[in-house]
Structures are given as C-alpha cells and as structure tokens.
Amino acid sequence: MATLICGSLAFDTIMDFEGRFADQILAEQLHILNVSFLVPTLRRDFGGCAGNIAYAMKQLGGEPLPMATVGTDAQGYLDRLRALGISTEFVRSLDDAYTAQAMIMTDRDNNQITAFHPGAMSAAHLNAVPGRPDIRLGIISPDGREAMLQHAQQFHGAGIPFVFDPGQGLPMFSGEELRHFVELASWIAVNDYEGRMLSERTGWSLAELSQRVRGLVVTLGATGCDLWEQGQSTHVAGVQAAEVVDPTGCGDAWRGALLYGLEQGWSLARCAELGNRLGALKVAARGPQNYVWRGDGLTA
C-alpha cells in the first residue's frame, strides 16, 4: 500500500533571530511597518510539505509517493529523496522556474515569520492523481491553488480516501470551496488557528465539520491535539521534546505519522499518539528532515 502526498518540495532558508519579534514591532506603527532583524545564523534545508511528510513516513517504514513540481535547481533534492528510498516518479521538473523557496525566521520564543516564493509549485496542477491500485491513501497539503482543487476532485473520483491539510494555503479558498474540500475528504488535519479559520469560512463548527468526515485533527503544539469524531472531541496529550531546537516542519512530521498509522489501519487516537512522539523528536532536531526515528514506542 502506498500513499500519494500532494504538496510542495521546497528549499527552506532558516534564520534565527536571538530576540523577540514582539519587542521590535510597535503595534501603533503597523501601518508604516519598517523593521530589520539581525540573524547571526543562516542555513538552507530541504523542505516543503510533501518532502517533509514523505520523509516522516519513510522514517516510520511507510510507502510515501510525493507528487510535486520542481524547478531547474532541484537535482540535489531529487537525488537525496532517491537515496532515502523515496520514489520521485510523480515529481515533475520544469525548465523555466525555480523550485519553491521558503525564507523562515524564528525568534527566541519560537514565533516565526515566513516569506514564500511558489516558483514551480504554481504549476502543480499539471500533475494528476494516478489511478494505480497500490495507491490507497492520499493527502492534499499546501500546494498551488488549482492543484489542490483538482487533486481533491481526482482523489474522490478515483475512490482514494485522503486527508485535507490546507495549512497556510487555507486563506486562498472561499467558504464554498472549503466546504467542497470537506465534502470530498475523509479526514481533516489543521492546527488551532487553521481550525478556527476553517470553521469561520465554512460556517461549520469543529463538531459539525467532524460529522462530515471520518475524523478531524486539531494540533495544539506542545500540548498535544484534539481529535474530533462524529461531533465528539478527545484530547491526546503532547509529548515533551528532549529540547526545543527548531519547530520548523513539526506539523509535517505529525502528518507523516498520521498517514503511516492510517496505512496500518490504526485508530485516529493511536495515530495521534505516534504523531505527538514524532513531532517531539523533530522539534529537538534542527531542520525539517534531519531527525532519525529509531522505533521507540512504535508498537506501544
């Protein structure tokens, strides 16, 4: 069984600001905002939601198939995926664009400011969900707008259950479009902020949303997550990280664990417990794809 992961492959440029954003931004001056942050450290990581989720799934022993669009600068990324044993057969390369780029700045309180250049990701709609018998699960993570709309319809048409994970792409869609995503999806995964926005735009409460899918997950960072099934909520406690080094990619690690558990036929609660453990492991490592899962607690 394989899982098709629709989303971005991107390069993340990570910068650490040693102060607090809140100390540098004056609320009464937001209309003429002009700030500069000194960032003593800078690095470039492999990232993008599809890449991060695929990495997490592969760490756990799953069969991820990332489907994404990349540019002329992606050869090193593709080589790395193949070296990890992750197939790139559904990754399309374009010769007239750069691979998507995210510039992420994190302050001492782990708040983040991100600038994102979509690049080749804007053409992700050129990819189509294949009707292959071994692909029995999918996820729609942040991607090009048209790609997300089309891939949801294609998953549904192929009879492949999928997770709707709008992430930072959620504001691109109207309430009507989001309601359509929900009607097509089998599961929804959002963080607390995204969950509130999804409820506001669809006009459906979290309880009502959960009655339209098999399960709704609202991740809450270090405190764990809330699981909504058939209108009822259950809290799954978080796992404390050995140390807080870098939150970038934590949500994607969580979703990789979710997909791995769904591949295995686990309950949503068991998937969430694994997600919390893998998320804590990722937070203790710098970069979204540099942690190593050694199987601890996998069968608990």
Side-chain angles (χ1 to χ4, degrees), residues 222-260:
T223 62
C225 59
D226 289 336
L227 309 181
W228 289 85
E229 296 176 282
Q230 295 303 307
Q232 301 298 314
S233 175
T234 304
H235 182 72
V236 179
V239 173
Q240 185 173 355
E243 57 179 327
V244 178
V245 175
D246 180 9
T248 308
C250 178
D252 294 333
W254 200 102
R255 283 150 179 77
L258 169 66
L259 292 170
Y260 174 81

Side-chain angles (χ1 to χ4, degrees), residues 22-281:
D23 295 336
Q24 306 294 319
I25 299 174
L26 302 176
E28 65 275 14
Q29 298 295 314
L30 288 178
H31 64 293
I32 53 170
L33 184 65
N34 186 356
V35 294
S36 176
F37 301 100
L38 178 65
V39 287
T41 61
L42 182 149
R43 70 182 189 280
R44 197 178 195 220
D45 290 327
F46 298 105
C49 292
N52 296 344
I53 293 170
Y55 179 86
M57 279 197 73
K58 195 65 179 180
Q59 286 286 304
L60 296 168
E63 291 298 325
L65 294 172
M67 187 167 79
T69 311
V70 298
T72 56
D73 53 346
Q75 191 58 52
Y77 201 156
L78 298 178
D79 290 343
R80 181 175 187 271
L81 290 174
R82 293 173 188 135
L84 291 168
I86 298 173
S87 171
T88 60
E89 63 182 299
F90 298 118
V91 178
R92 179 189 293 261
S93 296
L94 303 180
D95 58 9
D96 59 351
Y98 288 113
T99 300
Q101 315 273 331
M103 281 65 76
I104 304 168
M105 183 163 49
T106 305
D107 75 358
R108 65 187 300 177
D109 294 327
N110 288 315
N111 297 308
Q112 292 186 325
I113 295 175
T114 301
F116 186 73
H117 170 64
M121 191 188 80
S122 298
H125 59 277
L126 297 176
N127 293 325
V129 172
R132 224 170 68 176
D134 63 318
I135 299 175
R136 289 183 282 173
L137 183 64
I139 185 170
I140 292 179
S141 62
D143 206 350
R145 171 184 158 80
E146 291 306 313
M148 293 177 72
L149 290 166
Q150 292 182 26
H151 295 159
Q153 198 66 50
Q154 291 162 5
F155 271 131
H156 181 73
I160 301 172
F162 70 92
V163 177
F164 177 47
D165 168 31
Q168 293 178 335
L170 196 155
M172 295 189 297
F173 302 103
S174 68
E176 180 180 355
E177 289 168 330
L178 290 169
R179 286 190 292 271
H180 189 57
F181 274 121
V182 171
E183 296 292 355
L184 297 177
S186 298
W187 301 272
I188 301 170
V190 289
N191 64 26
D192 187 36
Y193 179 81
E194 294 157 1
R196 292 173 187 270
M197 181 180 290
L198 183 62
S199 289
E200 179 183 310
R201 294 206 171 182
T202 60
W204 294 330
S205 67
L206 294 178
E208 290 171 327
L209 284 164
S210 73
Q211 292 173 328
R212 289 170 163 81
V213 291
R214 299 185 198 178
L216 163 67
V217 177
V218 181
T219 58
L220 304 169
T223 62
C225 59
D226 289 336
L227 309 181
W228 289 85
E229 296 176 282
Q230 295 303 307
Q232 301 298 314
S233 175
T234 304
H235 182 72
V236 179
V239 173
Q240 185 173 355
E243 57 179 327
V244 178
V245 175
D246 180 9
T248 308
C250 178
D252 294 333
W254 200 102
R255 283 150 179 77
L258 169 66
L259 292 170
Y260 174 81
L262 292 175
E263 270 193 349
Q264 308 307 307
W266 292 0
S267 69
L268 197 58
R270 188 177 180 189
C271 294
E273 290 168 358
L274 178 61
N276 291 345
R277 290 198 291 272
L278 195 66
L281 179 65

